């Protein structure tokens, strides 16, 4: 098969720290840390002192006493991420988000229309820089894995293109820990076997590797080391479930409150589902006891739904089945989640026999919440804190 | 007990009674068929306690008696015998079945294991089978097979202006049929919820031209046709308020030849497996059916018809639409729609007494 280098791995550099430096000129060009307890992100100036993500802030300040420490502002990071992903999706429809600050982008189909992948990647970096004000590194290669390794090697604020056919020349001299999925433990194990580079791993005797790494791991790592990565950029990587939960101190939850909370959870989850246009068929109730043992019970409905009445009925069934436990006073966590998710396509509509509210009512309530906030409207059982029945 | 009879008559009677025998019932007695011989009259009865079916045949009886035989085994044996006369005689706990050179000896089930079934001396209402055969078939198709909502597995029979109204729904479609002047079937009750399974089994026993004797009790309904009796436990629970589901007006009306639509639907449905719906695109030009299965392919077909309303594309589960078309009376049907998410109403211009309401499938 002919493979072109058309997969981009785009990764924002020291994301949280870069947002802070963008928003506060005093933080620019100097070592700074986001996170007061542990380091959530460090600027490149701080990294130069050996500060790494996830180390304790105190330890970090020992390495660099004059580093500035700022608290995290999640809202600002979400907004920045949203703006960056908008540019990703404008670049190509094939975007697979990996996390808040990185994504794979397949631009293979755009070569004839927009231009070759390296040119698209350069434009993308330019747009993120001028449009959002953040540095981003892009790796371009023929496979997802190689693109990811390239972006790590290209940091910071860089663009690294691995031409087709040049993948092994690029990968093999690199230390094994650059391989996606090789952490400290594997690096140590490989080191003991005298394997330090990706090239040594690629050409090692698989029989020898299997004894230490196991069958599956060996096959996977050697495939990656040889740039065999058939995974596509997967735009359809949807959420597997939508859920919400509440925790309580031991003995703090009574049966009646539990039902009010169940209703709140159903309202919140079904509202999220409608907002995201996702329907689900399976409802799971997650419970935890005094000893922090968790267990769950599920029920699957006849058809996918996002209606709070239908989810409410399913929740009521689970609630009743677990009533002895819920009412025992030993319930320390109550959660609900909906899985078996589908887009609201090809969903058989059903008659609305039930006294529960109709879909039109859900829509009206969503509209009110959007306009006036979530406290504006609720169920009678919630406002009166008295009813234990589904209204 | 000892008798002789024709193989075909015995096979038929065993199969009729066997239809009420539960496939996986816990009780040994319920896996059996009770055979009662009185003179020349042999009655075979199967039951799963909810549904009981008896078949009666004339035999040449030699000695009366009552035994319980394993249903499946007895039916397989008799069915496989060569055509002609079959002799049966029960001694101790064994039944000897012989025909020509074949001879079987099978263990009987203890007669005590079979549930005691109440003898009926009820008041019966008699109705011609012709009035019921179509009506049962029309509504039973819409009943649910899902035991998790038992009420929906029933056919709701009620008194509607002196007529008998039958309604069934599985929550995706609803079928309704009125039988004028037949409300007396309900007796003193105003309504009853009859398991749809019992009505499908009854329908197998009904022959046009025959008459059916019916009795509706508090918790049980009984039916008698020549050669067979059927009794069923009635379902408990409140049937949904179906009246509120039927829209009182539909702005869009498609009138179309029933078999033409049915044939086209069957063809297009070949591309609509699993969850794939069939789309009906209706405009002044008529109707176009389409099915698009992402990984398989697509099909479309134009069906001639007249459409009065705004252009609309509505999608249905092909099975639900097909079953509605199959039971609708007359050469033509009307499909009345509001929009792509509200229930569509399938009716026949020549039969006011039938309607089929169908919920669409939501497509993007």
């Amino acid at each position: 098969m002919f493979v072109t280098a058309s997969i981009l791995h785009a990764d924002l550099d020291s994301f949280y720290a870069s947002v802070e430096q963008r928003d506060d000129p005093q933080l620019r060009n100097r070592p700074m840390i986001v996170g007061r307890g542990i380091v959530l992100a460090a600027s490149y100036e701080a990294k130069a002192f050996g500060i790494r993500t996830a180390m304790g802030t105190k330890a970090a300040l020992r390495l660099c006493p004059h580093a500035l420490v700022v608290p995290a502002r999640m809202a600002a990071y979400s907004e920045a991420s949203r703006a960056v992903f908008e540019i990703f999706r404008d670049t190509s429809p094939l975007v697979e988000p990996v996390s808040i600050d990185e994504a794979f982008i397949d631009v293979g189909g755009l070569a004839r229309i927009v231009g070759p992948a390296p040119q698209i990647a350069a434009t993308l970096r330019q747009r993120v820089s001028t449009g959002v004000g953040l540095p981003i590194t892009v790796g371009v290669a023929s496979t997802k894995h190689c693109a990811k390794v390239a972006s790590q090697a290209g940091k910071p604020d860089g663009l690294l293109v691995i031409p087709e056919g040049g993948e092994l020349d690029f990968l093999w001299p690199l230390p094994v820990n650059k391989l996606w999925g090789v952490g400290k433990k594997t690096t140590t194990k490989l080191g003991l076997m005298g394997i330090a580079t990706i090239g040594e791993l690629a050409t090692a005797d698989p029989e020898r590797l299997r004894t230490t790494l196991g069958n599956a791991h060996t096959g996977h790592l050697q495939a990656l080391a040889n740039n065999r990565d058939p995974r596509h950029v997967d735009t359809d990587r949807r959420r597997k479930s939508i859920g919400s939960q509440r925790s309580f101190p031991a003995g703090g939850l009574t049966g009646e409150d539990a039902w009010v909370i169940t209703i709140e959870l159903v309202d919140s989850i079904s509202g999220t589902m409608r907002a995201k246009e996702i329907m689900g068929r399976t409802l799971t109730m997650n419970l935890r006891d005094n000893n922090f043992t968790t267990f769950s019970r599920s029920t699957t409905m006849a058809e996918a739904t996002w209606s709070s009445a239908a989810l409410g009925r399913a929740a009521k069934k689970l609630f009743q089945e677990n009533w002895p436990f819920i009412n025992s006073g030993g319930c320390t966590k109550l959660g609900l989640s909906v899985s078996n998710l589908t887009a609201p396509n090809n969903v058989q509509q059903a008659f609305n026999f039930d006294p529960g509210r109709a879909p039109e009512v859900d829509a009206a309530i969503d509209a009110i919440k959007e306009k006036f906030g979530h406290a504006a409207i609720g169920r009678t059982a919630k406002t009166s804190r008295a009813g234990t029945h589904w209204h | 007990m000892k008798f002789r009879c024709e193989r075909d008559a015995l096979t038929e009677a065993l199969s009729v009674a066997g239809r009420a025998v539960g496939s996986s019932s816990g009780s040994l007695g319920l896996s059996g068929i009770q055979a009662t011989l009185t003179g020349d009259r042999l009655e075979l009865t199967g039951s799963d306690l909810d549904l009981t079916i008896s078949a009666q045949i004339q035999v040449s009886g030699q000695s009366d008696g009552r035994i319980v035989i394993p249903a499946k085994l007895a039916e397989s044996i008799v069915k496989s015998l060569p055509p002609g006369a079959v002799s049966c005689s029960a001694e101790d706990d064994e039944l000897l079945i012989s025909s020509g050179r074949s001879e079987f000896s099978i263990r009987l089930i203890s007669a005590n294991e079979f549930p005691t079934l109440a003898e009926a001396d009820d008041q019966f209402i008699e109705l011609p089978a012709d009035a019921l055969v179509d009506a049962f078939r029309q509504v039973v198709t819409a009943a649910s097979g899902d035991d998790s909502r038992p009420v929906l597995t029933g056919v709701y029979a009620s008194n509607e202006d002196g007529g008998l109204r039958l309604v069934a729904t599985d929550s995706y479609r609803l079928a309704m049929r009125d039988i004028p002047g037949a409300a007396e079937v309900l007796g003193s009750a105003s309504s009853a919820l009859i398991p749809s399974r019992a009505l499908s089994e009854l329908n197998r026993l009904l022959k046009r031209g025959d008459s059916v004797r019916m009795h509706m009790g508090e918790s049980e309904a009984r039916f008698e046709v020549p050669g067979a009796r059927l009794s069923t436990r009635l379902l408990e629970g409140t049937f949904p308020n179906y009246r509120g589901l039927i829209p009182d007006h539909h702005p869009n009306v498609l009138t179309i030849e029933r078999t033409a639509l049915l044939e086209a639907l069957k063809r297009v449905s070949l591309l609509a497996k699993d969850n794939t719906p069939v789309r009906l695109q209706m405009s002044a030009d008529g109707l176009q059916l389409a099915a698009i299965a992402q990984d398989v392919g697509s099909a479309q077909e134009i069906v001639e018809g007249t459409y009065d309303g705004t252009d609309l594309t509505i999608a249905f589960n092909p099975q639900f639409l097909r079953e509605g078309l199959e039971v609708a009376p007359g050469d033509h049907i009307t499909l009345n729609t509001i929009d792509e998410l509200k229930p569509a109403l399938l009716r026949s211009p020549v039969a006011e007494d039938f309607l089929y309401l169908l919920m669409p499938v939501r497509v993007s």
Side-chain angles (χ1 to χ4, degrees):
Chain A
M1 196 177 75
F2 179 70
V3 192
T4 60
S6 61
I7 295 175
L8 275 50
H9 181 257
D11 194 359
L12 289 156
D13 303 321
S14 294
F15 178 46
Y16 298 170
S18 297
V19 173
E20 295 302 338
Q21 288 184 319
R22 177 194 68 180
D23 294 350
D24 183 353
Q26 293 187 17
L27 300 175
R28 287 178 201 164
N29 303 317
R30 56 186 299 177
M32 54 84 56
I33 294 165
V34 178
R36 286 184 165 153
I38 60 162
V39 177
L40 296 170
S43 68
Y44 275 86
E45 295 82 2
K47 283 179 179 171
F49 287 89
I51 296 175
R52 296 285 174 265
T53 303
M55 68 169 44
T57 305
K58 273 185 189 165
L61 287 174
R62 275 198 293 274
L63 292 171
C64 176
H66 61 287
L68 291 174
V69 180
V70 298
R73 294 182 301 139
M74 277 319 293
Y77 311 147
S78 299
E79 173 51 30
S81 170
R82 195 199 50 74
V84 171
F85 271 84
E86 210 162 87
I87 295 171
F88 290 171
R89 294 207 166 86
D90 191 48
T91 300
S92 165
L94 300 176
V95 175
E96 176 184 336
V98 179
S99 68
I100 188 170
D101 58 359
E102 61 177 302
F104 289 105
I105 306 163
D106 187 339
V107 298
L110 303 174
R112 249 185 280 165
I113 312 161
V114 187
Q119 188 186 319
I120 295 173
T123 310
L124 175 76
R125 291 189 61 239
Q126 186 60 41
R127 288 183 65 188
V128 171
S129 173
T130 53
V132 194
L134 295 174
I136 189 166
T137 300
V138 180
V140 184
S142 59
T143 61
K144 280 166 81 171
H145 166 252
C146 193
K148 168 121 182 165
V149 176
S151 74
Q152 300 317 299
K155 277 183 177 296
D157 202 11
L159 168 62
L160 185 55
V161 179
I162 310 302
E164 313 137 38
E167 294 92 350
L168 299 184
D169 290 343
F170 163 67
L171 289 172
W172 284 17
L174 295 174
V176 278
N177 65 2
K178 297 286 176 191
L179 208 59
W180 198 7
V182 174
K184 268 188 191 163
K185 270 191 188 167
T186 312
T187 307
T188 311
K189 281 185 196 167
L190 290 170
L192 290 172
M193 297 169 79
I195 296 170
T197 66
I198 295 178
E200 286 162 1
L201 175 63
T203 52
D205 175 14
E207 288 308 321
R208 226 182 112 223
L209 289 175
R210 273 189 197 111
T211 52
T212 17
L213 298 180
N215 235 339
H217 206 192
T218 298
H220 179 66
L221 291 183
Q222 279 204 315
L224 292 184
N226 284 295
N227 195 38
R228 288 195 305 268
D229 180 13
R231 288 169 293 184
H232 293 290
V233 171
D234 184 3
T235 55
D236 205 32
R237 231 175 53 165
R238 295 216 189 97
R239 312 165 66 147
K240 293 229 162 48
S241 70
I242 294 179
S244 189
Q245 60 186 46
R246 304 266 193 283
S247 302
F248 320 96
L253 182 72
T254 67
E256 200 157 282
D257 285 347
W259 178 238
V260 174
I261 285 159
T262 304
I263 295 174
E264 286 176 358
L265 292 172
V266 165
D267 272 355
S268 137
I269 293 166
S270 64
T272 305
M273 293 173 78
R274 292 191 294 273
K276 295 189 180 300
E277 302 216 320
I278 296 170
M279 290 184 160
R281 270 189 69 197
T282 302
L283 183 72
T284 303
M285 179 174 274
N286 300 294
L287 298 162
R288 189 179 66 195
D289 70 12
N290 282 330
N291 300 321
F292 285 82
T293 306
T294 56
F295 60 99
S296 61
R297 298 281 179 274
S298 351
T299 179
T300 296
M301 294 163 280
E303 67 263 2
T305 183
W306 58 29
S307 130
S308 43
L311 290 167
R313 279 194 304 280
K316 188 172 188 176
K317 185 181 160 216
L318 293 172
F319 189 85
Q320 286 167 341
E321 284 171 10
N322 293 288
W323 173 249
F325 171 73
I326 292 168
N327 199 36
S328 68
C331 180
T332 59
K333 190 178 86 182
L334 175 63
L336 286 176
S337 69
V338 179
S339 54
N340 232 330
L341 303 178
T342 56
N345 291 333
N346 297 355
V347 175
Q348 171 69 54
Q349 306 294 291
F351 295 126
N352 181 31
F353 296 144
D354 306 285
R357 59 192 196 213
E360 299 82 49
V361 182
D362 279 342
I365 287 173
D366 290 346
I368 292 169
K369 280 183 175 166
E370 183 155 324
K371 200 164 176 190
F372 301 106
H374 282 262
I377 190 163
R379 290 171 182 276
T380 15
K382 274 166 65 177
T383 43
S384 71
R385 291 256 158 197
T388 50
H389 295 284
W390 190 258
H391 290 259
Chain B
M1 174 195 281
K2 197 170 180 186
F3 64 88
R4 269 172 76 86
C5 68
E6 281 302 305
R7 181 201 68 167
D8 290 349
L10 188 57
T11 306
E12 168 72 12
L14 281 168
S15 121
V16 166
R19 297 195 60 84
V21 176
S23 51
S24 59
S25 53
S27 155
L28 184 60
L30 292 178
S31 67
I33 284 177
Q34 174 182 265
T36 311
L37 181 64
T38 318
D40 283 340
R41 185 171 171 276
L42 177 71
E43 178 166 79
L44 300 175
T45 303
S47 177
D48 67 0
L49 293 183
D50 287 330
L51 177 67
T52 302
I53 303 177
S54 299
Q56 299 107 33
I57 49 169
Q58 287 295 311
V59 298
S60 146
Q62 289 177 33
S63 65
D64 289 0
R66 182 173 83 92
I67 55 172
V68 178
I69 54 182
K72 293 238 158 59
L73 184 59
E75 191 186 337
S76 316
I77 290 171
V78 176
K79 217 184 205 166
S80 69
L81 293 174
V86 181
S87 299
C88 294
S89 68
E91 261 171 54
D92 300 328
D93 60 349
E94 292 206 329
L95 174 69
L96 223 70
I97 306 172
S98 55
S99 168
R101 295 177 197 172
S102 305
E103 197 171 287
F104 290 84
S105 170
I106 57 175
R107 277 286 175 87
L108 295 175
I109 296 169
S110 160
N112 300 329
E113 296 265 357
F114 199 78
T116 319
L117 301 168
E119 273 304 310
D121 55 346
D122 300 307
Q123 291 295 308
F124 280 87
I125 303 290
E126 201 160 315
L127 279 181
D130 296 28
L132 300 174
V133 177
D134 289 334
F136 288 163
R137 189 174 62 95
Q138 283 168 335
V139 292
V140 158
T141 189
S144 169
D146 179 2
D147 287 329
S148 68
R149 291 163 96 178
V151 166
L152 299 187
T153 64
V155 170
Y156 180 70
S158 63
N159 182 340
E160 188 76 12
D161 297 331
L164 181 68
R165 170 168 289 181
L166 302 173
V167 185
T169 177
D170 61 2
S171 83
Y172 309 119
R173 64 260 172 80
L174 175 147
M176 182 173 111
R177 169 69 197 268
D178 285 324
I179 307 171
E184 54 179 346
V185 165
L186 291 169
S188 56
S190 63
S191 69
L193 198 51
I194 310 165
S196 63
R197 177 177 161 226
L199 291 186
S200 343
E201 291 303 337
L202 176 61
N203 238 21
R204 290 168 164 269
L205 302 174
L206 292 181
K207 291 183 189 71
R208 289 181 198 274
D210 282 353
S211 63
V212 196
R213 287 163 22 100
M214 309 168 82
H215 169 82
M216 209 70 72
E218 288 259 312
S219 61
E220 203 186 36
R222 297 170 185 279
F223 305 88
E224 285 188 19
V225 297
R229 296 191 297 168
L230 179 150
S231 72
T232 176
R233 198 177 274 184
L234 295 175
L235 293 168
E236 286 172 14
T238 310
F239 196 72
N241 173 18
Y242 68 90
R243 285 175 215 272
L245 302 176
I246 305 168
D248 46 17
H249 81 291
H250 285 88
N252 309 311
V253 183
L254 173 76
T255 306
I256 203 158
E257 200 187 322
R258 190 175 67 91
T259 48
L261 177 55
L262 196 52
E263 292 305 316
L265 178 66
K266 283 179 184 166
R267 278 188 289 273
V268 171
S269 300
L270 294 173
L271 266 295
K273 295 281 180 272
D274 300 325
N275 276 334
T276 308
V278 165
R279 291 161 201 247
L280 281 69
Q281 295 161 25
M282 298 178 290
S283 67
D285 298 335
L287 169 71
Q288 177 165 335
L289 290 181
I292 307 156
Q294 212 87 71
D295 305 328
V296 188
S298 65
Q300 52 188 35
E301 180 161 346
I302 291 168
V303 189
E304 268 183 50
T306 57
Y307 181 66
D308 186 12
T310 50
D311 289 8
L312 176 68
T313 297
I314 189 169
F316 297 111
N317 175 320
Q319 180 202 334
F320 296 165
L321 179 59
R322 192 193 71 228
E323 289 176 350
L325 290 169
E326 279 170 349
V327 299
D331 296 337
H332 288 79
I333 57 105
T334 59
L335 186 69
N336 308 273
T337 48
I338 300 170
D339 62 29
E340 70 276 10
L341 291 179
K342 297 224 168 58
L345 184 63
L346 197 155
R347 302 203 70 153
S348 163
V350 296
E352 283 282 298
D353 55 9
F354 170 79
L355 70 78
Y356 187 84
L357 192 67
L358 176 59
M359 285 301 281
V361 171
R362 181 194 178 105
V363 291
S364 54

